[in-house]
Amino acid sequence: MLKDPSALIIRKKAWDGYVLLELRSPRVARRARPGQFLMVRVSGQPYPLLRRPLSIHARDEDSVEIFFARAGLGTAILADKKPGETLDILGPLGKGFVIPGVTKGKKFCLLGGGRGIAPLYFLAQELRAKGGHPRVFYGGKTEADLPLLQKFAAQKMEVFVSTDNGSAGFPGLVTAMLERDLVQSAQPALIFACGPDPMMKRTAEIAAERKIPAQLSLESIMGCGIGACWGCVRKIRKGRAAEWVKICEEGPVFSASEVVWEE
Ligand SMILES: Cc1cc2nc3c(=O)[nH]c(=O)nc-3n(C[C@H](O)[C@H](O)[C@H](O)COP(=O)(O)OP(=O)(O)OC[C@H]3O[C@@H](n4cnc5c(N)ncnc54)[C@H](O)[C@@H]3O)c2cc1C
Ligand code: FES
């Protein structure tokens, strides 16, 4: 894990409610793996004090991108940053997606709900670079929640969209779109997902019903991102028992079969 106190913002793109920032940070970029995250200090002021966890959305030789939704104060402050300003970041943190040894010619389904699409662009690029065929299922409440659609399309990625209100693509939940695809086309080698908990739980059920391995990138409130505060624990199955696990250290990506869903 590295600390870069002056990662320079070199590009910004903003949509209604969503922002993408590209940060020059060569050492962090070189180490970044899909599914890992950064802890970002949003302000030089004492408040808000805690860094915010954000997935590594993409990386280049000397830069990383973050893509985020405005959720509350921290992300609102971050959304106001401009190119030329710097950010204090820690990363890359956590254990990311595990890409199988054999990917060539294999199909992978990548499921992103809303801001959960963030880590899947980097993952799709890596899978493709290794000869795999990523199929991206991108769901939002409305069309406005799909700002990255053009970015995936520009890279000629296979991307399918769904909206809860039917304003674009498949009308309904992204998990329902996945189920339809699993009936209509060949079974994927693996499903990867990131999004709100109900979406992840349903993805885990769909994967278990069809015996398809799945990896889920979980969210939790994170105080430190480095295993010191116990703020981020989730219940994870370990053998026959379930344990509270710090997802910043052991995750955020877990096998779907390991995750215990609270009622
Ligand atoms: C490993 C990890 C990676 C993440 N990657 C991304 C990403 O790439 N893009 C993105 O938009 N968001 C991502 N998130 C969620 C993001 O960290 C939160 O939205 C952000 O911290 C909210 O901060 P805030 O100050 O704007 O909101 P706050 O004012 O702190 O809270 C606003 C609302 O968001 C909820 N919230 C706060 N922190 C989190 C959290 N960590 N997870 C879930 N809900 C939270 C609060 O309960 C509250 O309801 C990630 C979270 C984790 C744990
Ligand atoms: S966020 Fe502090 S222990 Fe995980």
Side-chain angles (χ1 to χ4, degrees), residues 121-216:
Y121 183 78
F122 188 7
L123 175 65
Q125 283 195 314
E126 288 278 304
L127 289 168
R128 206 160 64 167
K130 291 177 189 297
H133 298 305
R135 286 157 68 83
V136 180
F137 296 80
Y138 186 6
K141 287 193 172 76
T142 72
E143 192 172 10
D145 293 309
L146 308 172
L148 294 182
L149 177 57
Q150 292 313 320
K151 182 173 183 177
F152 279 95
Q155 293 296 315
K156 304 218 170 356
M157 300 261 186
E158 217 178 346
V159 52
F160 308 91
V161 301
S162 68
T163 48
D164 299 356
N165 71 351
S167 52
F170 177 87
L173 299 175
V174 68
T175 45
M177 180 168 59
L178 172 72
E179 280 189 282
R180 188 187 63 167
D181 186 76
L182 293 175
V183 172
Q184 293 176 347
S185 66
Q187 188 147 312
L190 197 55
I191 297 172
F192 298 97
C194 183
D197 260 20
M199 178 201 123
M200 305 278 259
K201 182 169 184 265
R202 184 68 197 126
T203 305
E205 288 165 359
I206 294 168
E209 283 159 16
R210 291 167 177 75
K211 300 193 172 32
I212 304 169
Q215 295 177 27
L216 310 178

Side-chain angles (χ1 to χ4, degrees), residues 32-186:
R33 305 293 312 139
Q36 289 189 297
F37 63 98
L38 305 176
M39 288 299 281
V40 180
R41 183 103 201 257
V42 298
S43 166
Q45 306 299 315
Y47 183 79
L49 180 66
L50 297 178
R51 292 168 184 271
R52 299 306 196 255
L54 293 170
S55 305
I56 299 171
H57 167 61
R59 72 120 186 246
D60 219 329
E61 220 161 84
D62 62 358
S63 68
V64 286
E65 290 177 24
I66 50 176
F67 168 79
F68 57 93
R70 283 173 187 257
L73 179 64
T75 44
I77 294 172
L78 204 53
D80 284 340
K81 302 279 177 190
K82 295 181 182 57
E85 294 184 59
T86 58
L87 289 177
D88 179 341
I89 60 173
L90 287 183
L93 296 167
K95 297 195 175 109
F97 296 108
V98 179
I99 296 179
V102 181
T103 47
K104 207 164 180 312
K106 299 227 185 276
K107 172 179 149 186
F108 299 94
C109 290
L110 279 57
L111 221 65
R115 68 189 188 200
I117 196 70
L120 302 183
Y121 183 78
F122 188 7
L123 175 65
Q125 283 195 314
E126 288 278 304
L127 289 168
R128 206 160 64 167
K130 291 177 189 297
H133 298 305
R135 286 157 68 83
V136 180
F137 296 80
Y138 186 6
K141 287 193 172 76
T142 72
E143 192 172 10
D145 293 309
L146 308 172
L148 294 182
L149 177 57
Q150 292 313 320
K151 182 173 183 177
F152 279 95
Q155 293 296 315
K156 304 218 170 356
M157 300 261 186
E158 217 178 346
V159 52
F160 308 91
V161 301
S162 68
T163 48
D164 299 356
N165 71 351
S167 52
F170 177 87
L173 299 175
V174 68
T175 45
M177 180 168 59
L178 172 72
E179 280 189 282
R180 188 187 63 167
D181 186 76
L182 293 175
V183 172
Q184 293 176 347
S185 66

Side-chain angles (χ1 to χ4, degrees), residues 37 39 221-233 246-249:
F37 63 98
M39 288 299 281
I221 306 280
M222 289 191 176
C224 69
I226 53 171
C229 73
W230 287 88
C232 63
V233 290
K246 293 184 246 182
I247 74 155
C248 65
E249 273 189 332

